[in-house]
Amino acid sequence: MRTHWREVALLATLAGVLGCAPTTDPPSLADHRLDDPPPALSHRPGAAGIGDPDFPTDGNGGYDVSHYGLVVDYVPATKQLKGVTTIKAAATQGLSRFNLDLAGLKVSGVRVDGAAAEFSRNGDELTVTPAEPIDVRSRFTVKVTYAGVPQAEKDSANLGTYGFVPTPDGAFVASEPDGSKTWFPNNDHPADKATYDFKITVPAGVTALANGELVGKPTTAGGKTTYHWRERHPMASYLATATMGKFDLREGRTPGGIPETAAVDPRFKSALDKLYTVSGEVTDYWSKVFGPYPFSSTGGIVDDFAAGYALENQTKPLYGGFAPDASIIAHELAHQWFGDSLTIRRWKDLWLNEGFATYAEWLWSEHKGKRTAKAIFDELHAQPATSPIWAYPPGRALPHDLFNMSVYTRGAMTLQALRDAIGDTTFFKLLQDWTAAHRYGHVTTDEFIALAERLSGKDLSKLFDAWLFQPTRPA
Ligand code: ARG
Ligand code: ZN
């Protein structure tokens, strides 16, 4: 699902035809160009990347996924995963073949619309050649059967360990930025969102937790239990989880009435009630500040893998080996709006996720009568001009240093500088209008700046340039 995708391409093309500068970035991520040859003549291979210049092989070109049906059987004792992934997609160009992203694991068969297809592997690319080429704009179904021992992504510069990470009793699954390919074949880039069904089979006694809500009760037969979870709102692949293990659960509704599931590894038993209570309170509070909660349930998971980070997995943020405090719960749940409902098209815009979620931590502090966002901003702004935060402009996150502190902290400072410039009333209306205008869709930095300027009636180009794009401390 790529919201507004073709609209953007059309506008940019029109702007080009009319000789005016496009107001959006050129549509380099668009799959089908208006000057493509007519469909009948134009079956050609889909690109091996979706078009994000910073992550050239992430995602793929030529199609748009609407739904993933994942069937996963996992045995913690042997770390063996068996999977069948059914992908519903629409072709955005005529396709002679196309790629999926998949790292490791052995593929035993691929079918396209029920017919056996040829496939080959090259690095993390799975190339599928259907028996019949696929016409532009037609819908098709791909079924991939695979198995093996998933290998998490590890030690890459500053990302730590991510993807499908085995734990003694199950698995910790946190995939930002591109670790979903370690456990199922997919279009592994946030520019293509889709809905998901997860059917996860584990040994009886093990709990499997995925995004969204349970469909029916888990069923047990032959010593195995199958959980069916459904995420019915569009989701980026990096937010998909199938976290498994022994868990203590608390389920119910937030005071505001949103269904909630909190789960903790038994080692964090004493953290369960706080996780449940604070997550409920935060979800309800952000629903007032940022606009209606975008999804059908909320909650959180604490697992016993010491990832050194948390991840805002849609509807169920995952905390890696620590009992979260209210501040980080406020951060991960703010991401449900900023990152999950409103999703970046390119990783360089990551401050739209991390700057907003960090600013939410400051808003939570302010809400609780502790330090105001302004006081936190002032203290950070007083850092010496030599602080590395000023050398790294957060408006363009670097692929080799994606989660740099500047993207978080200076990103959040950008929002405080904006709030100072346009006033509280306009600032908080902007946050609500922003989440409403792009709910379940995609966003860019330019779109945020344009909305801020429209609502405030001010030229904010100098402010955003200084805060987001200059390698120096803004005045
Ligand atoms: N988005 C996460 C957060 O809320 C950070 C994820 C870090 N990912 C990683 N592979 N280290 O801050
Ligand atoms: Zn974050």
Side-chain angles (χ1 to χ4, degrees), residues 377-394:
F377 171 95
D378 285 343
E379 188 184 311
L380 289 164
H381 201 199
Q383 288 181 88
T386 52
S387 165
I389 192 178
W390 308 126
Y392 188 123

Side-chain angles (χ1 to χ4, degrees), residues 312 331 335 354 357 408:
E312 61 267 25
H331 178 114
H335 273 308
E354 301 305 345
Y408 287 69

Side-chain angles (χ1 to χ4, degrees), residues 254-271:
T254 71
I258 298 166
E260 177 176 359
T261 299
V264 298
D265 180 276
R267 193 155 80 79
F268 295 96
K269 203 177 180 65
S270 61

Side-chain angles (χ1 to χ4, degrees), residues 158-160 162 176-177 309-312 331-332 335 354 403 408:
N158 68 347
L159 298 176
Y162 66 101
E176 193 180 18
Y309 60 83
L311 181 64
E312 61 267 25
H331 178 114
E332 303 310 332
H335 273 308
E354 301 305 345
F403 299 102
Y408 287 69

Side-chain angles (χ1 to χ4, degrees), residues 75-433:
V75 180
T78 59
K79 300 183 183 166
Q80 276 287 338
L81 183 150
K82 283 189 211 153
V84 179
T85 297
T86 304
I87 300 171
K88 289 197 174 115
T92 54
Q93 66 171 64
L95 287 168
S96 54
R97 57 178 162 88
F98 60 89
N99 282 16
L100 292 165
D101 300 311
L102 182 68
L105 303 165
K106 190 169 163 48
V107 174
S108 56
V110 179
R111 292 189 164 263
V112 176
D113 291 333
E118 284 178 20
F119 61 92
S120 63
R121 306 288 299 272
N122 182 10
D124 294 349
E125 301 293 327
L126 164 64
T127 300
V128 177
T129 306
E132 298 288 337
I134 299 166
D135 290 340
V136 63
R137 281 183 288 276
S138 66
R139 299 185 173 280
F140 61 103
T141 301
V142 190
K143 187 173 160 185
V144 181
T145 305
Y146 64 101
V149 177
Q151 304 293 322
E153 299 284 330
K154 276 194 191 109
D155 302 322
S156 55
N158 68 347
L159 298 176
T161 300
Y162 66 101
F164 189 102
V165 186
T167 59
D169 59 359
F172 167 95
V173 184
S175 297
E176 193 180 18
D178 54 6
S180 278
K181 65 182 176 203
T182 65
W183 64 285
F184 67 99
N186 69 99
N187 201 21
D188 205 1
H189 190 282
D192 189 3
K193 301 212 279 186
T195 54
Y196 285 71
D197 274 272
F198 304 84
K199 289 180 185 169
I200 308 168
T201 300
V202 285
V206 173
T207 301
L209 299 159
N211 313 86
E213 300 81 48
L214 272 177
V215 179
K217 289 212 167 77
T219 53
T220 301
K224 291 189 168 215
T225 304
T226 300
Y227 292 80
H228 180 177
W229 292 91
R230 175 174 291 158
E231 174 50 60
R232 59 189 186 88
H233 298 291
M235 178 165 77
S237 57
Y238 75 88
L239 299 168
T241 196
T243 292
M244 311 171 222
K246 308 261 184 211
F247 285 102
D248 290 318
L249 293 181
R250 186 165 162 192
E251 289 166 291
R253 283 178 186 265
T254 71
I258 298 166
E260 177 176 359
T261 299
V264 298
D265 180 276
R267 193 155 80 79
F268 295 96
K269 203 177 180 65
S270 61
L272 178 60
D273 285 338
K274 180 176 173 185
L275 174 69
Y276 182 86
T277 308
V278 176
S279 297
E281 189 190 345
V282 167
T283 302
D284 288 350
Y285 183 61
W286 290 157
S287 302
K288 292 195 196 103
V289 178
F290 302 144
Y293 185 64
F295 306 122
S296 313
S297 60
T298 185
I301 304 172
V302 181
D303 202 356
D304 64 350
F305 173 70
Y309 60 83
L311 181 64
E312 61 267 25
N313 288 339
Q314 194 157 306
T315 69
K316 287 181 192 68
L318 178 55
Y319 304 90
F322 61 92
D325 61 13
S327 182
I328 192 159
I329 293 173
H331 178 114
E332 303 310 332
L333 288 172
H335 273 308
Q336 303 304 306
W337 285 259
F338 308 108
D340 296 8
S341 174
L342 278 66
T343 301
I344 53 178
R345 284 185 195 282
R346 303 176 192 197
W347 285 109
K348 71 169 180 170
D349 284 329
L350 188 61
W351 85 279
L352 290 173
N353 294 6
E354 301 305 345
F356 282 64
T358 303
Y359 194 69
E361 295 178 42
W362 304 358
L363 289 176
W364 186 256
S365 165
E366 193 167 314
H367 169 61
K368 286 291 168 180
K370 297 181 182 156
R371 280 202 307 167
T372 61
K374 177 73 171 162
I376 297 169
F377 171 95
D378 285 343
E379 188 184 311
L380 289 164
H381 201 199
Q383 288 181 88
T386 52
S387 165
I389 192 178
W390 308 126
Y392 188 123
R396 193 180 206 308
L398 302 169
H400 59 273
D401 197 9
L402 208 52
F403 299 102
N404 187 286
M405 265 339 279
S406 175
V407 175
Y408 287 69
T409 308
R410 199 170 145 184
M413 294 177 81
T414 303
L415 293 174
Q416 180 61 43
L418 175 65
R419 182 175 167 187
D420 287 343
I422 67 179
D424 275 20
T425 309
T426 308
F427 178 76
F428 287 103
K429 181 171 189 325
L430 170 62
L431 295 185
Q432 297 238 352
D433 283 13

